[in-house]
Amino acid sequence: MCSGRVDPALILESFLAGADGVFVGACLKGECHYSVGNLMAEGKIEVTKRILRRFGIDPGRLVMRMMSSAQGAKFVEFASAFQDDVAALGPVGSSEGIDAADAKLRLAAARNALADKKLRWVEGKWVEFQEEGNLYGERFTLHELGRMYEEIALDECAIQEIRLRLEGRELSAKELARQVRIPAYRVLRHLADMRRMGLVSVAAVGDGEPVWSSCELEEIPAA
Amino acid sequence: MEELRIGVFICNCGTNIAGFLDATDVSDYSRGLPGVVFSRENLYSCSEAGVSDIKSAIVENKLNRVIVAACTPRTHEPTFRATCEDAGLNPFFFEFVNIREHVSWVHKKEREAATRKARDLVRMAVARAALLEPQTPIEASVIRRAVVIGGGISGLTAARELARKGIDVVLIERERKLGGLVSGLYVLGPVPRDARAYVASLVADVRKDRRIRIMTGATVERIGGYIGSYMVGVRSRGKASEIDCGAIVVATGAVPLKPEGVFGYDGKKVISLFEFQDRLRKGKLRGRRFVMITCAGARDRERIYCSRICCGSAIKDALLVKELDPGSSVHILYRDLMCYGVENEGILRAAKEAGIRFVSYSKDAPPVVEDGVVRVEGDVMGEELAIDADVVVLASPLVADEGASELSKMLKVPLDADRFFLEAHVKLRPIDFATDGIFVCGTARWPATTRECAEQALGAAARASIPLLAGRVEVEPAVAVLGDEDLCRGCGMCAALCPYGAIEIVETDSGEKASMIEVACKGCGTCAATCYMRAITMVHYTDDQLRSQVNVAFEEQATRAGGAVAEPGAAAPTGAGGSK
């Protein structure tokens, strides 16, 4: 198995299972046992860090280090340093100033975002968009791709978090905005989209303000 | 589903493991894990007694999953898989845990923590073992023909040996003449041997063997396929052709560095060792006072590696000079002397006895070559020496051939940081590439003496002949498969990034779909980690198996800390933001 096999979703599974830090070891650049798997992994780790940051989780909890099998001392150095760093950060949530339950929910939303099609598609097309361009032959710079990813990630992460926040709870857009840490108008826009997708519905209208709840997926109307 | 009956064997490895962690505790602990019905310690699991003990335990306890916590799978995974097979169990129901390299050897002073870590690793293995599935190796037929790329002494030797084993060989050489680098040399060392006579005899052997087809002036243009069935596209003197073969030997060699800009190199009075040999051969060597400088252009910022053969070559050539003209003076200025092996030691002693002077210099105070004199701060005496020199000879390293980059891309095999070909494992698989059916020998891999080249070539020929003579090959079934064909949209993302060209997009009744060439797949899993529909399954390393390990990794800590926080939305994500 190659570091290229490390699925971003699996990294989040590890955090959810109780890890406070995740260390990915890979071959040196140009010396990958599987040719270029380590470069693929590097992209995946970078993307995962971005998503962690988006959810307010310290991206320093995830590192990728490259070394060869002949560099035992280097591995010890990396592992010990990471151990110290993570020990200093403490359990997920503590250095971020959020409680354990909230951290868990955010990690679950991050996992869902990374496991779902949309972000995986963009991430998978990253190299192709840079080198060959899209369907119309437009090529993008790293900077443009980064911005594009950020924009898509912004929406995707918000949607995933809203879904989890509404699980078994009824919340107003205003309350969701506070919890998801984005402006209320953007929450409303997501809710409208999500309602079209059959993911949420208005549970009740009290005091002139609707409260929302999540839908069971079975309720999605057939296309 | 049949009842899970997991057996766990904890190897003591004498005191290698049991000396640094509580193996009995780990064994007792594992008996309490879900699905485990049997656990035992072995003094040496890999010994005959250990293996037969495991075998009888499997039969007696009707075990259907076997875990051995011992050392690295590199050496003994095949052993224990075979044990399972002997006991009538599918070998892929075996799971290996490394509690030696990963635990006892690296935590020698932390007995308790090491024991805890061993418990953690065994628990994770048990979780994974529960989800293991039986597998059968993948088989493919092998075309009994080898392609050898490079017609230097390594390639010639490999081709000759393969042909002697009854294998058809196509030998591809870029130049118009066979022989490579060595055909330009004079006398080889450390045991003196006429370079051109050596090459000539090899070429004669190869030419008269009718199993060998020689293509000179030929370049490799593309390579496709996989072990047993490679296709090599060659252009020879303007004509393109395709060769089908079962295995490829890479023997493309290296080139001597022309030490431009080093120690005042001018090709006249300051020359390289190769030019020196050329003058010796042609009898055109002038002068009686020679200074040789080793590590010229080597072990510096640009090329940090030691080229290994230059010291020996310099000493051998110095002795040649002394033989021709005993009254001549030869100084060898060195940083370190790379004189490994009995024979090199022998010529070093002979050189000292013949009056050749050795002066060591440090990297920080390199010799200064002026007209007719070399100034050097001798490391030992600490004083500056001015050595008169008619000719200064620079022992420069071998550097990777420029064509190596392109060839490595075509072969889909890696190069190292110095652009030499990188073998599968420096110590354990020195002639193989990670890609099956491709082998490397000679200076394409690393600077080597002619004898080492010949030895490696014999090795490569022997390794390559295993599948070629068997006519069929078994491949580890830990490969990517299209687990859910309905999910696949045929987007081609996986095919584009597969480092081995093992995925193609094919038209099926239900549209375009990914199709895996199992024999070519090395199981790296990059495709599965990238597939946005998660349609690809890695056999023997499924998402579920990996997740099961991760999920129990912190179980004990969580229990100690007093219960974990419930995780919201644990169900698999679906729906939101779905694409079309």
Side-chain angles (χ1 to χ4, degrees):
Chain A
M1 223 179 72
C2 175
S3 60
R5 169 75 175 102
V6 180
D7 196 311
L10 188 68
I11 295 173
L12 267 297
E13 297 280 354
S14 314
F15 282 118
L16 282 166
D20 299 319
V22 174
F23 182 102
V24 179
C27 293
L28 292 171
K29 282 188 187 177
E31 291 185 21
C32 176
H33 184 76
Y34 292 105
S35 198
V36 288
N38 56 348
L39 303 181
M40 305 281 173
E42 197 179 30
K44 288 184 165 62
I45 301 299
E46 179 52 38
V47 161
T48 311
K49 280 170 162 291
R50 279 172 192 245
I51 298 300
L52 285 178
R53 197 177 291 128
R54 174 122 330 280
F55 281 102
I57 308 288
D58 192 328
R61 293 183 181 275
L62 169 63
V63 301
M64 172 164 164
R65 293 281 179 257
M66 292 170 163
M67 68 215 106
S68 87
S69 57
Q71 293 177 315
K74 201 151 206 176
F75 173 68
V76 171
E77 190 188 311
F78 287 151
S80 308
F82 186 59
Q83 165 80 33
D84 293 346
D85 291 350
V86 174
L89 289 174
V92 177
S94 65
S95 71
E96 288 86 354
I98 48 179
D99 66 39
D102 194 19
K104 206 103 191 179
L105 186 136
R106 292 187 193 192
L107 288 172
R111 186 262 322 269
N112 292 355
L114 286 164
D116 209 4
K117 298 170 200 120
K118 197 179 237 176
L119 288 184
R120 293 175 77 86
W121 192 84
V122 183
E123 204 263 308
K125 287 284 179 186
W126 198 277
V127 177
E128 188 186 321
F129 278 1
Q130 247 180 96
E131 286 171 3
E132 286 156 40
N134 64 7
L135 211 55
Y136 308 102
E138 297 170 301
R139 285 203 277 178
F140 301 95
T141 63
L142 206 60
H143 179 71
E144 286 170 327
L145 283 169
R147 277 184 49 181
M148 181 177 78
Y149 188 85
E150 283 290 325
E151 243 167 73
I152 296 169
L154 192 71
D155 290 348
E156 179 67 10
C157 291
I159 289 171
Q160 296 290 2
E161 193 173 340
I162 291 170
R163 286 189 70 189
L164 292 186
R165 297 264 180 217
L166 287 180
E167 222 166 64
R169 271 173 300 253
E170 294 172 358
L171 296 170
S172 70
K174 222 182 252 170
E175 177 54 23
L176 272 170
R178 194 186 62 78
Q179 291 187 8
V180 184
R181 310 165 305 282
I182 54 174
Y185 77 90
R186 295 230 352 256
V187 171
L188 264 177
R189 199 189 293 158
H190 289 315
L191 285 170
D193 287 345
M194 290 167 78
R195 187 161 69 166
R196 253 198 310 280
M197 288 188 264
L199 295 172
V200 294
S201 63
V202 177
V205 183
D207 288 343
E209 192 181 38
V211 286
W212 300 74
S213 67
S214 65
C215 292
E216 291 300 318
L217 279 178
E218 288 80 47
E219 290 174 29
I220 299 177
Chain B
M1 210 184 104
E2 63 169 338
E3 177 207 6
L4 260 185
R5 299 186 64 82
I6 304 176
V8 180
F9 299 86
I10 312 291
C11 180
N12 287 351
C13 197
T15 55
N16 267 310
I17 292 171
F20 304 99
L21 57 84
D22 189 343
T24 312
D25 171 82
V26 180
S27 174
D28 292 346
Y29 169 77
S30 51
R31 213 168 301 140
L33 291 168
V36 177
V37 295
F38 180 87
S39 83
R40 174 180 291 171
E41 281 176 77
N42 298 123
L43 185 56
Y44 290 101
S45 294
C46 63
S47 68
E48 217 166 288
V51 166
S52 72
D53 181 53
I54 293 173
K55 203 163 112 186
S56 50
I58 295 174
V59 177
E60 282 164 24
N61 298 284
K62 300 191 182 64
L63 301 179
N64 53 20
R65 302 287 189 280
V66 176
I67 295 169
V68 176
C71 55
T72 163
R74 281 258 189 210
T75 38
H76 285 306
E77 189 171 64
T79 315
F80 298 124
R81 278 188 176 177
T83 310
C84 288
E85 214 165 6
D86 282 353
L89 199 60
N90 186 288
F92 289 86
F93 281 141
F94 170 72
E95 174 73 2
F96 213 156
V97 188
N98 188 347
I99 56 168
R100 192 180 70 181
E101 280 86 342
H102 290 179
V103 185
S104 66
W105 277 358
V106 288
H107 303 295
K108 286 194 170 172
K109 290 172 191 158
E110 314 161 271
R111 193 177 173 84
E112 265 178 44
T115 308
R116 274 205 306 279
K117 184 170 168 184
R119 281 173 163 225
D120 288 347
L121 293 178
V122 170
R123 185 177 60 251
M124 290 167 79
V126 168
R128 174 172 141 82
L131 299 175
L132 289 176
E133 284 163 15
Q135 310 293 343
T136 39
I138 298 157
E139 268 196 29
S141 64
V142 176
I143 301 168
R144 189 177 287 189
R145 183 182 301 115
V147 161
V148 176
I149 306 173
I153 52 162
S154 306
L156 289 166
T157 309
R160 186 184 68 183
E161 291 312 309
L162 283 164
R164 280 182 181 170
K165 290 173 193 286
I167 294 159
D168 289 335
V169 181
V170 179
L171 179 62
I172 300 170
E173 167 57 46
R174 181 174 56 189
E175 305 297 325
R176 300 207 151 225
K177 260 181 64 190
L178 291 174
L181 184 60
V182 174
S183 54
L185 299 181
Y186 176 39
V187 176
L188 304 173
V191 180
R193 183 176 202 175
D194 185 303
R196 292 204 295 178
Y198 175 40
V199 171
S201 81
L202 270 178
V203 171
D205 284 351
V206 165
R207 281 203 190 284
K208 73 172 180 245
D209 198 317
R210 52 186 182 80
R211 287 195 185 276
I212 304 175
R213 188 171 139 217
I214 300 167
M215 299 177 82
T216 49
T219 47
V220 175
E221 287 190 322
R222 65 211 156 80
I223 294 167
Y226 39 86
I227 182 168
S229 175
Y230 281 107
M231 184 286 302
V232 182
V234 189
R235 182 169 296 274
S236 175
R237 299 170 199 240
K239 247 181 63 200
S241 57
E242 281 182 6
I243 303 159
D244 293 320
C245 63
I248 299 172
V249 175
V250 178
T252 49
V255 290
L257 174 79
K258 200 167 185 189
E260 302 276 9
V262 179
F263 296 127
Y265 172 82
D266 60 7
K268 294 182 194 103
K269 281 184 148 177
V270 183
I271 59 177
S272 73
L273 201 56
F274 283 86
E275 290 157 342
F276 184 72
Q277 279 244 335
D278 196 50
R279 287 188 193 180
L280 270 174
R281 190 182 74 188
K282 292 176 178 154
K284 283 185 176 165
L285 189 64
R286 305 281 169 263
R288 300 199 69 190
R289 297 168 303 177
F290 303 96
V291 174
M292 295 179 155
I293 305 175
T294 65
C295 292
R299 297 169 70 210
D300 56 13
R301 195 167 293 190
E302 205 179 330
R303 279 170 293 275
I304 54 166
Y305 64 94
C306 165
S307 172
R308 295 173 77 247
I309 59 169
C310 349
C311 287
S313 304
I315 296 169
K316 174 243 322 171
D317 287 352
L319 275 168
L320 286 177
V321 172
K322 274 286 192 189
E323 231 170 79
L324 281 174
D325 178 4
S328 61
S329 95
V330 186
H331 283 78
I332 294 181
L333 315 188
Y334 66 96
R335 268 171 63 191
D336 293 292
L337 274 177
M338 177 59 91
C339 270
Y340 55 97
V342 176
E343 284 154 352
N344 275 319
E345 286 281 357
I347 64 166
L348 175 60
R349 196 163 46 243
K352 285 178 176 171
E353 281 163 7
I356 293 162
R357 300 284 180 79
F358 288 84
V359 181
S360 91
Y361 72 90
S362 94
K363 188 185 170 188
D364 307 319
V368 179
V369 179
E370 291 166 5
D371 192 25
V373 63
V374 178
R375 290 183 197 285
V376 60
E377 203 171 301
D379 232 12
V380 181
M381 304 296 283
E383 61 188 34
E384 199 192 78
L385 304 173
I387 309 166
D388 294 330
D390 301 322
V391 179
V392 177
V393 186
L394 305 181
S396 296
L398 284 182
V399 294
D401 190 279
E402 272 184 13
S405 268
E406 209 181 320
L407 187 60
S408 84
K409 281 190 198 117
M410 284 191 271
L411 287 164
K412 302 193 173 78
V413 299
L415 297 177
D416 68 13
D418 302 308
R419 321 303 295 162
F420 287 100
F421 283 95
L422 184 68
E423 62 277 60
H425 190 283
V426 185
K427 287 171 186 156
L428 300 175
R429 291 177 65 195
I431 283 163
D432 303 3
F433 280 114
T435 308
D436 290 329
I438 309 179
F439 306 88
V440 64
C441 59
T443 52
R445 192 180 74 92
W446 202 243
T449 65
T450 50
R451 172 141 12 125
E452 288 162 349
C453 288
E455 283 163 356
Q456 291 172 21
L458 296 179
R463 292 289 289 165
S465 67
I466 296 171
L468 290 168
L469 291 177
R472 57 192 241 337
V473 65
E474 272 192 4
V475 182
E476 174 93 14
V479 294
V481 295
L482 191 56
D484 192 334
E485 203 183 300
D486 292 340
L487 277 181
C488 177
R489 308 283 167 93
C491 74
M493 212 134 77
C494 51
L497 60 80
C498 175
Y500 302 97
I503 307 179
E504 47 195 22
I505 301 298
V506 295
E507 191 60 48
T508 69
D509 293 341
S510 41
E512 291 192 320
K513 301 283 173 191
S515 165
M516 279 70 178
I517 306 163
E518 288 180 331
V519 202
C521 176
K522 296 299 294 174
C524 70
T526 310
C527 54
T530 307
C531 176
Y532 79 105
M533 294 302 295
R534 310 189 94 181
I536 299 175
T537 304
M538 295 308 299
V539 175
H540 206 52
Y541 291 96
T542 64
D543 283 352
D544 284 346
Q545 288 166 358
L546 298 183
R547 207 177 297 131
S548 71
Q549 284 186 288
V550 164
N551 281 341
V552 301
F554 306 98
E555 220 170 50
E556 240 190 292
Q557 271 140 292
T559 327
R560 274 202 302 275
V565 183
E567 173 201 330
T574 35
S579 64
K580 289 165 202 106

